[in-house]
């Protein structure tokens, strides 16, 4: 018995010891791991961290490029990329390979057999080739409508240019995924446009559900800046259309055109041919923005500046005569463009109209002297870049100051300039002597801080000539178009006074000395401005080597671009320019009106008139007791403001008022208004000048404006008849 | 084991007694106050003191105040504390003309209802009565009025429901400044065919614009109108690019003939 008990005790002790040791082992291990935090060389802490924290990139958006009115020229949009899930285990995989391939192939631009091969691979999922990338929403929806199982989409940002071929060289382009930016503003402003990507890392539980507020690290993405250009969509559209037509009809080597606001230097339109569609950048043939990067001998358009220099120096006498035809300088003879025949002895004014090279060589050498002529080239800043805010502006080259060089430069050969330099110099003539630096970026908006990062101000680049000279030059240049011998007759636009200078520049032979010869082997150009007395718009157009039909001259393709563009720009500018100057009162949301009650009638009335509102004063008191619209209401230019004064409530004469204004008066006077008909008031029941009582009714008769006009005409007819009778 | 720290009970009696008395007193006062407060509480809730005696409505210009009160479900005589503000606000919100509503208790017995109405952007002329159109595009067909105020322009000839919807949607997008400038809008069959509308502006200028992108085309009106003499007969076309069509050609011809 005792023995047995002993054995039991022994066994129990043994068991206890075993258990104790096992326990010790495990706890030892636990302590070891706790302290060492390493198992088989893996850092446990880091492993855990990576398991329960997730980090994801938050993508910012590349800035949008807008035109001057805020319509989009380049933006980041969402695109879709299709892919197929093939794994049979996966619910919703491609079931019928043949059928899927047959239906899908035409949408993603891929051969059916190739697609069958792709879809038969032993993979979990496959990409469907370049044609399945960057699909638009509507394309994606079309594919979805096929209801193919196993075809899925993921979204990807894409740079998109909604206006297609539109100021393409100004905008430039980015690769579709925006990883690289090429040419134009996309490249030039890449830093400002690019977003800063943010990130979010957070911890999550075993099921992968985020544990919010638990050591969350959040770096907010910053969107790129939005850029507003000075480009005007209306003008640019006309420009692109006209250039496309000319390009098709005459197949020139290249065309370039610039439309600028003559008073500010804003570039309203700029285009080149060959151009490209930035959405299909694989097909670009020409990467050069000729308007700023091409160096050309400008030809006779240059005479504009030689003339301005001569007038400014007071050495130009338009009635003085000279022998045209040829002119010998040292051992070189230069000739007029009609093979050196000339037009006999003519005046300088006629020389300008006929674009005589001899006239201008003489002006530069004999009247101005080369030194002074070169000073003016400098004053017009032909020796340096304009500094326009577009990348890759080319530099000009002016020939050394020798007599022969001064002579040829005076009529635009020899020295090479960029088209934008010509436009900048022309602003001096257009803008009464003040030369404006051209610019294309109007403002930049930072959406993260909701502030404008940059707002452009027109900048005066210099004052090469006086206001008086500029005016005379413009008058002389108008004669180029309307004068008897003018070379610019094809630039005459009905109803517009255009001033400008034509140019036919020879092109240096790229394979040797001298110039290319032949009827079409020239750059035909025109640099013009309108209206003459106060130019608003400058347009420069150059067409390089067009295929001219026998009955047309080089000015035909140029005028086919210049004329519609100038016409459109002016009619558009005339109606929209003033809107920018006046501020809020010209915007559709209007200006908020002040509180006028208790103020002096006279003072309020004048201040309202000053901003362009029409005060209607009721009664003859000197203090205002009520106003309509009430303070804070938005008003636009020319709106009536009703002011009730503390005097007697006299009825105004409402003839010609609109119904709504009558109702407003009724609201102000707190009387009921009834009306008959529609249009504008012809009759009112309470005579003007009589006093309105509290519970009066105002009744007005209205007539439609068409009928009013008819009546007015009838009246006139009657009056005329009467006159005749009395006569 | 005997504790040396124990103080004989007798030594502490006087202090303990007074302490006990104080505590009992305090407890009695507390219970009594509690009791009376409870009674007051019950009395307040049972008597008309807690009932609503006034309901005020603010901001109702077009909607009848009584209608709003009816709709809210709050009645005079209900308990101040028994109203469901959320529900009442939802109910009032269901009125098409109400944009925003706010209900507040004001003790002792008043309920303030403050509403913001949707602005009216047009009145549609229908057989001499006018149907208001709200800024959110709702057309209040059932609530035509016979007399209108100056808040919105009148639309004539819009019998086609879809055209009316497109146009009012555009109108709501237009800035208030210009919208305030429109006196009347006319649509004839001929105009409808071209998708155009004819406007009489308060400044006396006649305008023809398109129904599609009306708001865009009209946005530049103030600047454009400034260039135009309202006395010169003609129609201003506010389209992609605005232009003025003058009717004075005839008279010029006459002059030339003379």
């Amino acid at each position: 018995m005792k023995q047995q008990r002993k054995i039991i005790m022994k066994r129990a002790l043994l068991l206890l010891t075993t258990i104790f040791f096992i326990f010790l082992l495990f706890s030892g291990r636990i302590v070891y791991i706790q302290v060492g935090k390493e198992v088989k060389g893996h850092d446990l802490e880091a492993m855990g961290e990576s398991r329960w924290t997730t980090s994801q990139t938050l993508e910012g958006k590349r800035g949008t490029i807008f035109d001057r009115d805020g319509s989009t020229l380049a933006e980041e949009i969402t695109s879709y990329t299709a892919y197929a899930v093939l794994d049979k285990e996966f619910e919703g995989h491609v079931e019928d390979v043949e059928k899927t391939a047959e239906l899908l192939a035409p949408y993603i631009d891929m051969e059916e057999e190739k697609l069958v091969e792709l879809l038969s691979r032993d993979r979990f999922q496959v990409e469907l080739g370049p044609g399945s990338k960057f699909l638009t929403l509507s394309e994606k929806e079309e594919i979805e409508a096929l209801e193919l199982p196993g075809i899925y989409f993921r979204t990807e940002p894409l740079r998109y240019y909604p206006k297609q071929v539109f100021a393409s060289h100004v905008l430039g382009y980015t690769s579709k995924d925006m990883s690289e930016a090429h040419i134009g503003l996309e490249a030039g402003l890449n830093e400002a446009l690019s977003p800063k990507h943010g990130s979010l890392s957070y911890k999550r539980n075993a099921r992968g559900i985020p544990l919010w507020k638990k050591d969350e690290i959040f770096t907010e993405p910053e969107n790129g800046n939005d850029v507003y250009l000075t480009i005007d969509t209306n003008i640019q559209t006309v420009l692109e259309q006209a250039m496309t037509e000319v390009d098709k009809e005459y197949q020139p080597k290249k065309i370039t055109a610039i439309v600028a606001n003559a008073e500010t230097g804003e570039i309203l339109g700029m285009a080149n041919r060959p151009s490209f569609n930035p959405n299909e950048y694989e097909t670009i043939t020409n990467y050069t923005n000729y308007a700023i990067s091409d160096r050309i001998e400008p030809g006779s358009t240059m005479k504009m500046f030689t003339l301005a220099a001569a007038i400014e120096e007071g050495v130009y006498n338009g009635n003085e005569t000279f022998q045209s035809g040829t002119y010998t300088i040292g051992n070189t003879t230069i000739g007029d463009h009609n093979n050196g025949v000339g037009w006999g002895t003519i005046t300088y004014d006629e020389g300008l109209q006929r674009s005589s090279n001899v006239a201008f060589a003489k002006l530069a050498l004999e009247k101005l002297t080369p030194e002074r002529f070169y000073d003016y080239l400098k004053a017009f800043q032909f020796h340096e870049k304009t500094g326009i805010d577009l990348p890759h502006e080319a530099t000009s080259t002016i020939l050394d100051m020798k007599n022969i060089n001064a002579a040829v430069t005076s009529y635009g050969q020899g020295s090479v300039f960029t088209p934008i330099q010509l436009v900048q110099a022309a602003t001096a003539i257009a803008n009464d002597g003040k030369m404006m630096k051209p610019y294309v970026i109007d403002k930049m908006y930072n959406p993260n801080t909701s502030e404008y990062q940059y707002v452009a101000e027109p900048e005066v680049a210099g004052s090469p000539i006086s206001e008086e000279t500029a005016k005379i030059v413009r008058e002389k240049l108008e004669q180029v178009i309307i004068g008897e011998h003018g070379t610019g007759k094809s630039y005459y636009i009905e109803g517009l006074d255009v001033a400008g200078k034509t140019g036919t520049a020879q092109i240096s032979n790229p394979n040797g000395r001298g110039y290319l010869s032949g009827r079409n082997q020239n750059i035909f150009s025109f640099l013009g401005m309108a209206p003459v007395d106060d130019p608003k718009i400058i347009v420069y157009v150059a067409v390089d080597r067009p295929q001219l039909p026998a009955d047309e001259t080089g000015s035909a393709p140029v005028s086919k671009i210049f004329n519609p563009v100038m016409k459109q720009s002016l009619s558009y500018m005339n109606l929209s320019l003033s809107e920018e100057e006046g501020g809020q009162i010209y915007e559709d949301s209007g200006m908020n009106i002040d509180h006028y009650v208790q103020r002096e009638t006279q003072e309020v009335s004048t201040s309202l008139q000053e901003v362009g509102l029409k005060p209607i004063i009721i009664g003859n008191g000197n203090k205002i007791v009520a106003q309509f619209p009430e303070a804070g209401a938005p008003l636009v230019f020319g709106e009536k403001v009703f002011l009730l004064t503390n005097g007697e409530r006299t009825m105004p004469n409402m003839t010609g008022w609109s119904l709504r204004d009558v109702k407003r008066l009724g609201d102000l006077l707190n009387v009921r208004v009834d009306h008959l008909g529609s249009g504008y008031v012809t009759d009112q029941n309470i005579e003007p000048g009589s006093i309105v009582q509290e519970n009066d009714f105002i009744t007005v008769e209205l007539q439609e404006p068409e009928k009013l006009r008819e009546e007015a005409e009838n009246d006139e007819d009657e009056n005329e008849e009467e006159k005749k009778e009395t006569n | 084991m005997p504790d040396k720290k124990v103080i004989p009970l007798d030594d502490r009696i006087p202090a303990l007694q007074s302490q006990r008395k104080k505590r009992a007193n305090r407890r009695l006062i507390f219970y009594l106050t509690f009791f009376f407060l409870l009674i007051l509480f019950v009395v307040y809730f049972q008597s008309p003191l807690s009932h609503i005696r006034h309901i005020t409505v603010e901001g109702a210009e077009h909607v009848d105040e009584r209608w709003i009160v009816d709709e809210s479900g709050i009645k005079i005589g209900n308990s101040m504390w028994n109203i469901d503000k959320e529900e009442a606000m939802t109910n009032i919100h269901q009125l098409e003309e109400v944009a925003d509503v706010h209900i507040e208790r004001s003790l002792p017995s008043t309920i303030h209802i403050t509403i913001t109405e949707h602005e009216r952007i047009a009145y549609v002329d229908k057989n001499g009565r006018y149907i208001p159109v709200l800024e959110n595009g709702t057309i209040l067909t059932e609530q035509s009025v016979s007399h209108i105020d100056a808040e919105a322009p009148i639309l004539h000839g819009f019998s086609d429901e879809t055209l009316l919807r497109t146009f009012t949607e555009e109108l709501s997008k237009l800035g208030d400044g210009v919208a305030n400038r429109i006196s009347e809008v006319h649509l004839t069959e001929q105009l409808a065919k071209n998708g155009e509308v004819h406007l009489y502006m308060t400044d006396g200028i006649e305008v023809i614009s398109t129904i599609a992108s009306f708001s865009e085309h009209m946005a530049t009106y103030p600047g454009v109108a400034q260039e135009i003499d309202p006395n010169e007969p003609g129609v201003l076309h506010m389209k992609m690019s605005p232009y003025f069509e003058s009717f004075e050609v005839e008279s010029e011809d006459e002059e030339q003939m003379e």
Side-chain angles (χ1 to χ4, degrees):
Chain A
M1 189 70 184
K2 210 178 179 185
Q3 193 95 44
Q4 234 176 2
R5 206 177 155 158
K6 221 176 183 178
I7 292 172
I8 291 174
M9 273 299 273
K10 232 182 203 169
R11 283 180 187 165
L13 222 85
L14 192 73
L15 199 69
L16 198 75
T17 328
T18 326
I19 288 173
F20 178 75
F21 270 106
I22 292 173
F23 185 75
L24 203 73
L25 202 75
F26 277 109
S27 38
R29 179 70 176 156
I30 286 169
V31 169
Y32 173 75
I33 292 173
Q34 281 279 340
V35 175
K37 290 172 179 165
E38 226 179 64
V39 176
K40 287 185 188 165
H42 294 289
D43 184 347
L44 287 182
E45 209 162 23
M47 238 169 99
E49 186 95 22
S50 73
R51 275 188 96 146
W52 68 67
T53 55
T54 309
S55 176
Q56 65 190 67
T57 312
L58 299 173
E59 295 197 352
K61 209 172 158 194
R62 189 179 174 86
T64 306
I65 302 180
F66 296 101
D67 79 340
R68 65 185 300 123
D69 297 323
S71 105
T72 308
L73 304 179
E75 65 180 329
E76 179 181 324
I77 59 166
T78 305
S79 70
Y80 302 87
T81 294
Y83 63 95
V85 173
L86 307 177
D87 193 336
K88 302 264 182 315
E89 305 286 300
F90 191 79
E91 204 175 320
H93 60 273
V94 175
E95 282 159 16
D96 187 339
V97 171
E98 265 81 34
K99 190 183 147 226
T100 306
E102 186 195 333
L103 288 172
L104 189 60
Y107 289 94
I108 59 168
D109 212 12
M110 189 184 257
E111 280 168 33
E112 214 180 301
E113 292 93 66
K114 212 177 153 208
L115 193 53
V116 170
E117 188 266 322
L118 253 178
L119 295 178
S120 323
R121 285 187 190 174
D122 185 23
R123 291 259 215 91
F124 179 77
Q125 69 176 63
V126 285
E127 298 287 309
L128 300 172
S132 69
K133 283 189 164 176
F134 302 117
L135 301 168
T136 63
L137 180 64
S138 60
E139 284 170 334
K140 174 202 163 213
E141 279 169 350
E142 275 173 39
I143 296 175
E144 277 178 337
L146 302 173
E147 291 182 358
L148 298 168
I151 303 294
Y152 297 95
F153 298 90
R154 63 165 177 269
T155 58
E156 256 158 326
L158 160 74
R159 192 65 163 172
Y160 184 67
Y161 301 86
K163 294 197 157 58
Q164 314 295 335
V165 183
F166 189 87
S168 304
H169 285 101
V170 176
L171 295 178
Y173 67 95
T174 69
S175 54
K176 287 203 159 78
D177 60 3
M178 293 172 285
S179 58
E180 287 167 68
H182 300 277
I183 73 174
L185 289 173
E186 289 275 28
L189 293 177
N190 193 30
E191 207 167 299
L193 287 165
S194 296
K196 286 192 184 64
H197 294 310
S199 68
L200 173 67
S201 49
Y202 53 85
K203 304 199 167 172
R204 54 181 192 180
N205 66 12
R207 285 187 195 156
I209 295 163
L211 300 169
W212 288 109
K213 311 281 183 216
K214 199 81 186 151
D215 297 338
E216 187 182 314
I217 300 165
F218 178 56
T219 322
E220 210 170 333
E222 281 184 23
N223 292 341
N225 289 348
D226 291 336
V227 177
Y228 289 79
L229 304 185
T230 58
I231 298 285
D232 186 305
T233 294
N234 290 291
I235 293 171
Q236 183 76 24
T237 307
V238 177
L239 183 63
E240 297 279 359
Q241 277 170 359
M243 283 173 85
T244 303
E245 266 167 45
V246 168
D247 196 31
K248 218 194 280 169
E249 195 177 341
Y250 296 94
Q251 292 167 2
K253 290 273 184 294
K254 48 193 183 186
I255 315 177
T256 186
I258 303 170
V259 185
N261 182 329
E263 287 164 351
T264 60
E266 289 168 290
I267 301 297
L268 302 171
M270 183 184 274
N272 302 292
R273 289 293 178 275
S275 190
F276 62 90
N277 182 343
N279 293 317
E280 296 159 13
Y281 53 78
E282 301 84 358
T283 58
I284 302 180
T285 54
N286 163 35
Y287 290 91
T288 312
N289 186 357
Y290 297 131
I292 59 161
S293 310
D294 198 17
R295 292 142 41 95
I296 51 167
E297 295 180 40
S300 307
T301 46
M302 193 67 200
K303 290 173 185 165
M304 190 185 274
F305 308 109
T306 311
L307 173 72
I311 293 175
E312 178 74 15
E313 284 296 306
V315 295
Y316 181 83
N317 177 0
N319 297 323
E320 197 182 328
T321 55
F322 70 99
Q323 177 61 44
S324 65
T326 55
Y327 181 49
T328 308
I329 308 143
N331 49 12
T332 317
T333 302
I334 59 154
D336 279 327
H337 57 79
N338 53 1
N339 294 323
V341 176
W343 306 270
T345 305
I346 55 172
T347 62
Y348 277 100
D349 275 352
E350 194 180 333
L352 169 68
Q353 286 181 38
R354 293 193 185 273
S355 196
S356 160
N357 293 342
V358 172
F360 283 86
K362 273 173 171 290
L363 276 180
L365 291 188
E366 295 170 16
K367 308 279 180 193
L368 272 169
T369 70
E371 287 79 19
R372 278 199 283 180
F373 176 60
Y374 270 67
D375 284 346
Y376 276 93
L377 287 183
K378 218 166 198 180
F380 279 110
Q381 291 187 4
F382 280 116
H383 62 296
E384 59 184 346
K385 295 181 186 180
T386 62
I388 187 172
D389 40 13
L390 283 168
H392 305 301
E393 187 182 354
T395 39
S396 54
T397 307
I398 305 179
L399 297 180
D400 303 339
M401 196 173 72
K402 283 194 285 190
N403 277 357
I404 177 68
N405 289 345
V408 294
T409 303
S410 77
Y411 58 86
Q413 295 292 155
S415 300
V416 288
F417 307 112
T418 59
I420 196 73
Q421 277 183 315
L422 294 172
V423 170
Q424 174 177 265
T427 58
I429 293 166
N431 197 30
D432 293 335
K434 280 208 188 65
M435 189 159 77
M436 304 305 291
K437 180 175 162 180
Y439 65 96
V440 73
I441 301 168
D442 188 28
K443 55 194 175 193
M444 272 196 256
Y445 178 76
N446 184 339
N448 307 302
T449 57
S450 303
E451 275 170 5
Y452 283 103
Q453 192 122 325
Y454 167 82
V455 178
E457 286 287 330
E459 195 181 313
V460 178
S463 313
I465 53 171
S466 69
E467 185 179 343
E468 195 50 37
T469 306
K471 212 168 156 195
I472 300 169
V473 174
R474 292 202 299 267
E475 276 160 19
K476 301 260 181 227
L477 291 177
E478 191 182 9
Q479 292 305 315
V480 172
I481 287 130
I482 59 172
E484 191 187 343
H485 309 294
T487 50
K489 284 188 177 134
S490 39
Y491 304 98
Y492 174 76
I493 302 170
E494 174 101 43
L496 282 184
D497 304 323
V498 179
K501 187 68 196 79
T502 55
T504 307
Q506 292 181 299
I507 300 163
S508 300
N509 190 344
N511 307 321
R513 285 178 59 78
Y515 289 99
L516 296 174
S517 60
R519 191 164 160 268
N520 300 330
Q521 300 300 306
N522 292 310
I523 299 174
F524 299 98
S525 61
F526 187 70
L527 178 55
M529 56 191 77
V532 170
D533 46 357
D534 180 21
K536 298 267 190 288
I537 300 275
I538 295 176
V539 180
Y540 175 77
V541 180
V543 180
D544 188 346
R545 283 164 279 177
Q547 309 277 313
L548 293 172
D551 58 338
E552 282 185 27
T553 62
S555 59
V558 180
S559 64
K560 279 180 186 170
I561 296 171
F562 180 89
N563 294 8
V565 169
M566 182 57 99
K567 212 168 153 183
Q568 169 71 21
S569 307
L570 270 184
S571 62
Y572 182 73
M573 288 289 277
N574 266 348
L575 293 176
S576 68
L577 252 188
S578 48
E579 132 195 31
E580 287 164 20
E581 291 161 2
Q584 275 197 312
I585 199 160
Y586 297 106
E587 277 168 27
D588 68 335
S589 50
M591 180 192 86
N592 292 345
I593 185 178
D594 282 343
H595 188 73
Y596 295 119
V597 172
Q598 288 305 326
R599 286 175 55 183
E600 299 281 334
T601 312
Q602 202 50 46
E603 169 208 348
V604 170
S605 167
T606 30
S607 76
L608 283 176
Q609 274 167 342
E610 266 168 26
V611 295
L613 295 167
K614 283 188 191 146
I616 304 281
I617 294 157
I618 318 289
N620 48 11
N622 54 3
K623 273 256 166 16
I624 291 162
V625 294
Q627 69 180 73
F628 193 95
E630 279 166 20
L635 293 184
V636 296
F637 181 84
E639 192 71 85
K640 288 190 184 71
V641 178
F642 297 96
L643 302 168
L644 182 62
T645 63
N646 57 357
E648 282 169 336
R649 291 148 51 103
T650 47
M651 191 72 203
N653 183 355
M654 299 191 290
T655 306
W657 285 21
S658 67
L659 178 57
R660 202 155 167 203
D661 280 341
V662 180
K663 294 268 179 193
R664 283 174 183 157
L665 178 70
D667 279 3
L668 178 71
L669 296 177
N670 212 1
V671 292
R672 188 183 157 129
V673 175
D674 286 317
H675 67 276
L676 297 165
S678 72
Y680 297 99
V681 174
T682 54
D683 209 358
Q684 60 193 84
N685 68 331
I686 301 177
E687 290 301 313
S690 51
I691 293 161
V692 189
Q693 306 295 340
E694 270 297 332
N695 43 10
D696 265 350
F697 284 82
I698 300 177
T699 308
V700 286
E701 266 178 57
L702 304 121
Q703 272 281 13
E704 277 158 31
E706 268 169 64
K707 287 195 185 119
L708 281 173
R709 272 198 296 277
E710 276 168 28
E711 274 172 25
E713 264 169 40
N714 288 341
D715 285 353
E716 264 175 37
D717 288 351
E718 276 167 28
N719 286 345
E720 270 167 33
E721 273 166 33
E722 275 169 28
K723 266 189 216 163
K724 276 172 197 163
E725 276 167 22
T726 49
N727 285 349
Chain B
M1 280 190 287
D3 197 333
K4 279 173 204 158
K5 280 184 184 166
V6 169
I7 301 161
L9 190 64
D10 293 348
D11 291 356
R12 295 177 58 190
I13 278 176
L16 255 184
Q17 260 178 348
S18 75
Q19 234 177 42
R20 206 176 279 161
K21 218 176 188 177
K22 245 187 211 166
R23 208 178 292 157
N25 265 345
R26 218 183 284 156
R27 204 170 285 167
L28 185 72
I29 291 169
F30 174 73
Y31 283 134
L32 276 180
T33 328
F34 184 73
F35 181 71
F36 280 113
L37 274 179
L38 214 68
I39 287 183
L40 274 179
F41 200 65
V42 171
V43 167
Y44 172 72
F45 277 100
Q46 287 304 310
S47 73
L49 279 173
S50 68
H51 292 180
I52 300 168
R53 265 177 286 174
H54 306 281
I55 303 174
T56 64
V57 180
E58 243 175 275
E61 209 174 304
H62 297 293
V63 197
D64 195 331
E65 294 183 5
R66 281 171 301 178
W67 196 5
I68 290 173
V69 174
D70 279 356
E71 204 66 28
S72 72
I74 302 172
K75 288 194 190 78
I76 289 183
N78 283 7
S79 164
M80 280 288 277
W81 307 99
N82 201 15
I83 54 165
D84 187 341
K85 277 213 270 186
E86 288 303 314
E87 198 194 322
M89 291 206 290
T90 329
N91 284 343
I92 296 174
H93 236 300
Q94 271 159 7
L95 293 174
E96 281 167 320
E97 288 193 66
V98 177
D100 196 23
V101 56
H102 195 73
I103 298 181
E104 239 175 56
R105 283 190 192 95
S106 166
L107 290 174
S109 56
T110 312
I111 298 286
H112 286 302
I113 304 177
T114 317
I115 63 160
T116 320
E117 291 178 351
H118 283 297
E119 267 175 47
R120 297 182 169 191
I121 55 162
Y123 290 103
V124 186
D125 173 29
K126 199 163 193 187
N127 310 326
R129 289 182 70 82
Y130 302 99
I131 302 168
V133 181
L134 304 182
E135 60 185 336
N136 61 357
T138 316
I139 301 165
L140 303 173
T141 323
E142 301 300 313
Q143 298 173 34
S144 64
V145 288
S146 60
H147 183 257
I148 55 168
D149 53 23
E151 196 178 327
I154 306 175
L155 273 44
H156 294 280
F158 280 82
S159 44
D160 186 331
E161 179 91 358
T162 35
L163 276 184
L164 177 61
R165 284 210 179 275
T166 342
F167 183 73
T168 49
E169 194 178 307
E170 284 290 330
L171 195 59
S172 64
K173 281 191 268 176
L174 183 63
D176 283 346
V178 174
N180 276 338
R181 200 60 173 280
I182 304 169
S183 173
E184 295 172 46
V185 182
H186 287 255
L187 185 70
T188 60
E189 270 178 40
Q190 186 58 38
L191 286 167
K193 224 184 275 170
N194 302 335
E196 289 174 340
V197 281
H198 192 163
L199 316 176
Y200 298 163
M201 308 302 282
T202 58
D203 50 16
I205 296 176
E206 281 178 73
V207 171
I208 287 184
S209 186
T210 58
I211 295 178
S213 40
F214 174 77
S215 58
E216 261 169 59
H217 295 160
M218 283 301 286
T220 53
Y221 179 80
V224 175
Q226 184 211 9
E227 306 276 326
I228 285 161
D229 176 11
N231 298 322
E232 191 184 332
V235 174
L236 176 63
H237 291 257
M238 293 296 296
K239 292 173 189 169
M240 185 74 147
S241 45
Y243 64 95
F244 186 74
E245 181 191 350
S246 173
F247 293 141
E248 264 190 343
V249 187
E250 280 172 38
S251 55
E252 272 173 28
D253 284 352
E254 277 168 28
E255 275 165 30
Q256 278 168 3
M257 274 157 62
E258 283 166 12

